[in-house]
Amino acid sequence: SVPHRGLALGQGVRRLHVSAAFNAKAKVSMSRFEPSNYVSYEKLNENVNIVRKRLNRPLTLSEKIVYGHLDDPVGQDIARGHTYLRLRPDRVAMQDATAQMAMLQFISSGLPCVAVPSTIHCDHLIEAQIGGAKDLARAKDINAEVYNFLASAGAKYGVGFWKPGSGIIHQIILENYAYPGVLLIGTDSHTPNGGGLGSICIGVGGADAVDVMAGIPWELKCPKVIGVKLTGKLSGWTSPKDVILKVAGILTVKGGTGAIVEYHGPGVDSISCTGMATICNMGAEIGATTSVFPYNHRMKTYLEKTGRGDIASLADDYADLLVPDPGCEYDSIVEINLDELKPHINGPFTPDLAHPMADIGATAVKNGWPLEVKVGLIGSCTNSSYEDMGRSASVAKQALDKGLKCKAAFTITPGSEQIRATIERDGYSKILGDVGGMVLANACGPCIGQWDRRDVKKGEKNTIVTSYNRNFTARNDANPATHAFVASPEIVTALAIAGTLDFNPEVDYLTAANGEKFKLEPPSADELPKLDFDPGQDTYQHPPAEGGSKLRVDVSPTSTRLQLLEPFDKWAGGDLEDLQVLIKVKGKCTTDHISAAGPWLKFRGHLDNISNNMLIGAVNIENDGINKIKNQLTGEYGGVPDVARHYKANGLSWVVVGDDNYGEGSSREHAALEPRHLGGRCIIVKSFARIHETNLKKQGMLPLTFQIPADYDKIRPDDKISIKGLANFTPGKPLSAVVNHSDGSKDDFQLNHTFNETQIEWFQAGSALNRMKELQ
């Protein structure tokens, strides 16, 4: 536990009296960029005390932070897993690929300025090709129109703008904006990274961000809380990444859906603050709403090192608010003994296929996975901290000392300009370069498919290992035959040196240049730099102090990359009759399948153009084909977006039928906007991933689930489906479907939904944005 003044203050009533004494010095800014927005632990504490008294039980840390931000702590109905909470987040963060649509929606809301501190981060549009500086220069040139739009929209509406080259959104948030107890929403699914600093940071679609920026309470289904109790301590080759690789193996890609994962127990103190961020970041891969760690001395040190010592001392004063109450209860508990945890590697094709390093070689041989490692890639928003780079350099240095270089290609992605500058100053970059590595731009790069890969042909079976978070088919390099595995940066570095997947650094030997056999020692590195961080170049644009009312935001009507939004049509008032099945999707369908990234990122601000990628990665159950469906009006086969456009042009609305955990993965709301834009009305599946389901509701779509999952089997690719009961659309009451088969027979069954009253109003108005305008 942490020695600090906070614990001496006592609980409850006495705590409130004593806290008044601190109020004199309690004006601490949320960040150096917003000197007049203050950390408000008093308000958080007040709300938590109201809710604790109402519920009459100890609270988990997640509950304290979430319920501490309730719009109405006195009247809000609270039942974990059931009720919808109306919350007041402290801030919003958007990355450049999602910010375009979020800002376009904010512009069409007609409001003059954002209601809470908000930032835009340029990290997604920089393609990795030949190295950091040149790739960045090329991106600035290619994306000038988008960067100018985001910078001018930021200035006009009061949003801070982090220029391209600043770094990855989640690393920038950890370094500047996250702090214990803050509630932040971000338009990227890995926003939970901030949980490493005791924050509740939740990934959302852009329409949710618009709500918060507009000052409207934000809705979240009251999360369950999964406790992960850590005992023992990390040592040797085992790293924070192995904790989440193990958890993903236990809980699977949907085991965290609807829940916050809360880490606790004596093992927590053996993990660095940035290591805790790694664990929370990849919690997105188990479908969790977010993940969080309790405030401790590792967080305090990190805050001090990143120039926020005043927040750390304030957090000390309120420390009992920033840890779980003794005796609080979790909905379920997972226990992990860090003394026994071994290094893991997960994959291929899904992040929850977990293997101890000791087993991966034999498993790969049995399954026919290629053993040769073609490329090792370290960095990303998950693993690009100073400590990560230091541990990787410590492995690389041992190889260099024995005259070895990497057998595989090797790339390094610094998480931020601050990390890049600091690892350059401290010699890590040189070691990683000397062993054969190439330092890429401070950006997402290959992690999200921004990788101009040329060493293998499309369709060529090969293996890569990364320290990233996702390894869905074709995600990194657009090659469906690439087997991508996820591990810690130090394991990736060791595998890049060995060049083969069946190398286990704990037991296996390498051959030095002079022929002698040697074993790599476990990596060791400083958690934080001994000297202060080197901030590198200043890449932040403040919104103008005098406000942006006189500024203009230009969107050219002939642009191929930006397009102002037209409102979607309202619900016509009746049932949805005879919707054509556009595609019946077979198996895994992530947001990458629904709206691919990579080369499509450049159209994220132009709804009509990006809609040409709708569902082009989904497998059609009729023929196991990808992007090949039958046009029921012409009888010919075509691409999914082309057939959808043809139906829309002919006044035929359509429906998509899908499998389990539909829409898992990235928060991209384009996966919901595109079906709506191309004439879709409804998506019927066995189950949804949380963010995607909300995104569909926001755009006026009907996300529905089979009451009996086996009813999925009754639907044929050429069916027409009517959705009945919309005139009496109410929360908790199922709708029904009548399925008309082409042979004249019929089926009918019940469809469940999770709409609440407000969300039904979105559907009726045609979208959440339409409803916001009606209420203005």
Side-chain angles (χ1 to χ4, degrees):
S1 73
V2 197
H4 49 49
R5 289 170 293 162
L7 290 184
L9 295 174
Q11 302 277 348
V13 180
R14 178 157 176 261
R15 173 90 211 60
L16 274 174
H17 285 303
V18 185
S19 77
F22 290 112
N23 278 355
K25 72 171 193 65
K27 281 219 170 247
V28 172
S29 297
M30 284 168 73
S31 83
R32 66 193 168 96
F33 303 104
E34 292 121 2
S36 54
N37 288 89
Y38 302 108
V39 175
S40 180
Y41 286 147
E42 311 87 73
K43 177 78 175 145
L44 189 67
N45 198 45
E46 193 183 307
N47 286 359
V48 167
N49 284 330
I50 291 169
V51 173
R52 194 191 283 114
K53 202 171 285 175
R54 279 184 54 202
L55 298 180
N56 194 25
R57 62 172 172 79
L59 300 176
T60 64
L61 170 60
S62 326
E63 291 184 300
K64 287 181 178 183
I65 303 174
V66 172
Y67 305 162
H69 286 85
L70 285 169
D71 183 45
D72 175 15
V74 177
Q76 171 73 56
D77 206 6
I78 298 169
R80 292 204 307 222
H82 296 288
T83 53
Y84 279 86
L85 306 178
R86 292 164 68 80
L87 301 168
R88 292 282 182 183
D90 297 303
R91 63 179 314 123
V92 171
M94 300 167 278
Q95 40 92 337
D96 50 354
T98 48
Q100 295 170 60
M101 196 50 75
M103 291 311 291
L104 286 163
Q105 289 177 89
F106 188 80
I107 290 168
S108 66
S109 78
L111 296 164
C113 184
V114 294
V116 300
S118 304
T119 50
I120 292 168
H121 304 259
C122 296
D123 62 357
H124 271 58
L125 301 176
I126 300 165
E127 187 183 49
Q129 193 182 55
I130 45 183
K134 287 177 175 159
D135 291 349
L136 177 60
R138 195 173 82 256
K140 284 180 173 174
D141 180 42
I142 293 170
N143 303 313
E145 180 187 17
V146 169
Y147 293 148
N148 290 342
F149 166 71
L150 291 173
S152 60
K156 181 165 181 61
Y157 297 104
V159 178
F161 180 72
W162 288 84
K163 298 171 193 167
S166 305
I168 306 173
I169 177 171
H170 312 301
Q171 186 72 31
I172 300 285
I173 288 171
L174 203 70
E175 291 170 356
N176 299 282
Y177 298 118
Y179 60 82
V182 74
L183 176 61
L184 176 152
I185 67 162
T187 60
D188 188 276
S189 53
H190 291 102
T191 303
N193 192 71
L197 207 40
S199 320
I200 291 287
C201 299
I202 300 178
V204 298
D208 280 21
V210 174
D211 280 357
V212 179
M213 292 192 292
I216 293 171
W218 171 63
E219 288 202 335
L220 177 72
K221 191 161 198 187
C222 187
K224 292 183 172 176
V225 189
I226 297 172
V228 177
K229 185 179 182 184
L230 302 177
T231 57
K233 60 191 241 244
L234 288 177
S235 63
W237 281 91
T238 307
S239 72
K241 183 68 162 259
D242 297 307
V243 176
I244 186 60
L245 294 175
K246 174 78 175 169
V247 168
I250 295 168
L251 292 177
T252 78
V253 286
K254 57 177 193 171
T257 305
I260 293 178
V261 178
E262 185 171 310
Y263 293 85
H264 61 282
V268 166
D269 285 349
S270 76
I271 305 173
S272 65
C273 176
T274 50
M276 294 189 245
T278 291
I279 293 168
C280 292
N281 175 296
M282 207 182 145
E285 270 44 74
I286 55 172
T289 301
T290 192
S291 302
V292 69
F293 277 84
Y295 179 60
N296 71 354
H297 67 283
R298 309 295 285 255
M299 295 184 192
K300 179 178 180 157
T301 312
Y302 183 78
L303 283 167
E304 289 167 348
K305 264 292 182 196
T306 50
R308 294 173 289 168
D310 51 351
I311 294 183
S313 22
L314 193 62
D316 282 351
D317 296 338
Y318 284 93
D320 54 330
L321 183 64
L322 305 171
V323 296
D325 285 342
C328 69
E329 288 195 7
Y330 297 99
D331 291 284
S332 58
I333 292 240
V334 174
E335 289 201 35
I336 295 177
N337 182 346
L338 301 179
D339 290 334
E340 295 167 5
L341 183 65
K342 287 292 191 186
H344 274 61
I345 185 165
N346 287 22
F349 308 125
T350 185
D352 58 351
L353 190 55
H355 318 275
M357 282 304 294
D359 301 346
I360 186 64
T363 308
V365 170
K366 192 178 88 189
N367 289 300
W369 301 333
L371 285 178
E372 183 197 353
V373 174
K374 287 282 192 188
V375 194
L377 305 101
I378 66 168
S380 83
C381 65
T382 317
N383 272 111
S384 57
S385 66
Y386 184 80
E387 180 184 42
D388 287 330
M389 295 298 166
R391 282 173 69 91
S392 297
S394 140
V395 174
K397 175 104 175 57
Q398 296 178 58
L400 285 170
D401 290 347
K402 299 287 186 181
L404 294 187
K405 286 192 164 197
C406 289
K407 285 191 175 154
F410 186 44
T411 71
I412 299 98
T413 306
S416 67
E417 171 59 11
Q418 177 165 281
I419 294 292
R420 183 208 61 77
T422 308
I423 64 171
E424 201 162 292
R425 177 196 71 194
D426 294 353
Y428 293 166
S429 297
K430 181 169 181 0
I431 295 168
L432 294 168
D434 289 349
V435 84
M438 173 167 78
V439 177
L440 300 173
N442 315 323
C444 302
C447 183
I448 57 156
Q450 283 285 36
W451 182 17
D452 182 17
R453 186 179 180 195
R454 297 181 177 180
D455 64 306
V456 296
K457 291 191 173 68
K458 185 75 70 75
E460 186 183 327
K461 200 166 156 182
N462 74 101
T463 285
I464 64 173
V465 289
T466 81
S467 72
Y468 304 162
N469 41 45
R470 293 210 165 123
N471 55 349
F472 301 142
T473 305
R475 178 174 172 90
N476 303 121
D477 62 0
N479 179 5
T482 294
H483 292 55
F485 295 86
V486 178
S488 69
E490 49 268 48
I491 290 287
V492 172
T493 306
L495 292 177
I497 291 161
T500 180
L501 196 59
D502 57 0
F503 175 73
N504 179 6
E506 289 195 302
V507 296
D508 293 336
Y509 287 79
L510 291 168
T511 306
N514 65 3
E516 67 166 303
K517 300 275 188 200
F518 75 100
K519 235 172 85 173
L520 292 168
E521 293 296 317
S524 66
D526 291 334
E527 170 183 348
L528 293 160
K530 288 196 170 68
L531 303 167
D532 281 339
F533 278 107
D534 180 339
Q537 297 174 33
D538 181 14
T539 52
Y540 178 73
Q541 171 189 291
H542 283 273
E546 66 283 0
S549 57
K550 295 189 174 66
L551 299 175
R552 281 191 49 165
V553 179
D554 284 331
V555 175
S556 159
T558 57
S559 170
T560 59
R561 295 196 58 177
L562 295 165
Q563 180 186 43
L564 292 172
L565 294 174
E566 296 290 325
F568 291 131
D569 56 325
K570 290 178 68 154
W571 171 58
D575 289 335
L576 297 175
E577 302 284 355
D578 289 330
L579 303 176
Q580 179 67 57
V581 172
L582 177 71
I583 179 172
K584 182 177 175 184
V585 179
K586 176 181 172 182
K588 200 178 189 71
C589 190
T590 70
T591 47
D592 280 322
H593 295 89
I594 305 167
S595 175
W600 291 94
L601 282 168
K602 60 177 170 288
F603 298 123
R604 284 278 180 90
H606 197 294
L607 181 53
D608 195 54
N609 284 346
I610 199 168
S611 293
N612 291 324
N613 76 1
M614 185 188 74
L615 285 159
I616 61 174
V619 178
N620 178 9
I621 201 163
E622 182 192 9
N623 54 12
D624 282 340
I626 290 176
N627 202 25
K628 189 178 177 195
I629 59 169
K630 188 173 184 179
N631 183 327
Q632 302 299 333
L633 294 178
T634 66
E636 290 168 8
Y637 280 82
V640 184
D642 306 323
V643 174
R645 283 184 190 278
H646 186 251
Y647 289 167
K648 184 183 178 182
N650 286 278
L652 179 61
S653 296
W654 49 262
V655 57
V656 169
V657 177
D659 213 318
D660 256 321
N661 206 26
Y662 183 89
E664 76 171 274
S666 165
S667 71
R668 66 188 67 136
E669 68 188 314
H670 298 76
L673 280 157
E674 294 171 26
R676 182 74 164 102
H677 175 63
L678 294 185
R681 299 300 308 179
C682 180
I683 312 282
I684 307 173
V685 300
K686 292 180 187 173
S687 65
F688 282 103
R690 172 189 64 88
I691 300 178
H692 186 59
E693 184 181 24
T694 306
N695 286 348
L696 287 165
K697 291 176 182 175
K698 288 251 156 163
Q699 303 308 338
M701 292 285 284
L702 271 182
L704 304 172
T705 54
F706 296 103
Q707 201 168 69
I708 300 165
D711 286 338
Y712 168 88
D713 300 323
K714 294 179 181 168
I715 293 180
R716 306 172 196 169
D718 60 347
D719 283 344
K720 289 197 164 177
I721 302 179
S722 298
I723 309 295
K724 304 286 191 183
L726 288 172
N728 306 308
F729 194 6
T730 39
K733 184 181 170 192
L735 297 168
S736 56
V738 176
V739 183
N740 291 301
H741 304 301
S742 53
D743 61 9
S745 64
K746 284 189 179 190
D747 269 303
D748 51 71
F749 41 76
Q750 298 287 291
L751 296 171
N752 291 342
H753 67 84
T754 60
F755 281 80
N756 62 25
E757 299 281 7
T758 307
Q759 295 168 343
I760 289 170
E761 288 172 358
W762 299 342
F763 170 74
Q764 291 165 343
S767 71
L769 197 56
N770 290 358
R771 182 65 184 145
M772 189 195 294
K773 285 191 132 158
E774 286 178 0
L775 293 171
Q776 263 177 43

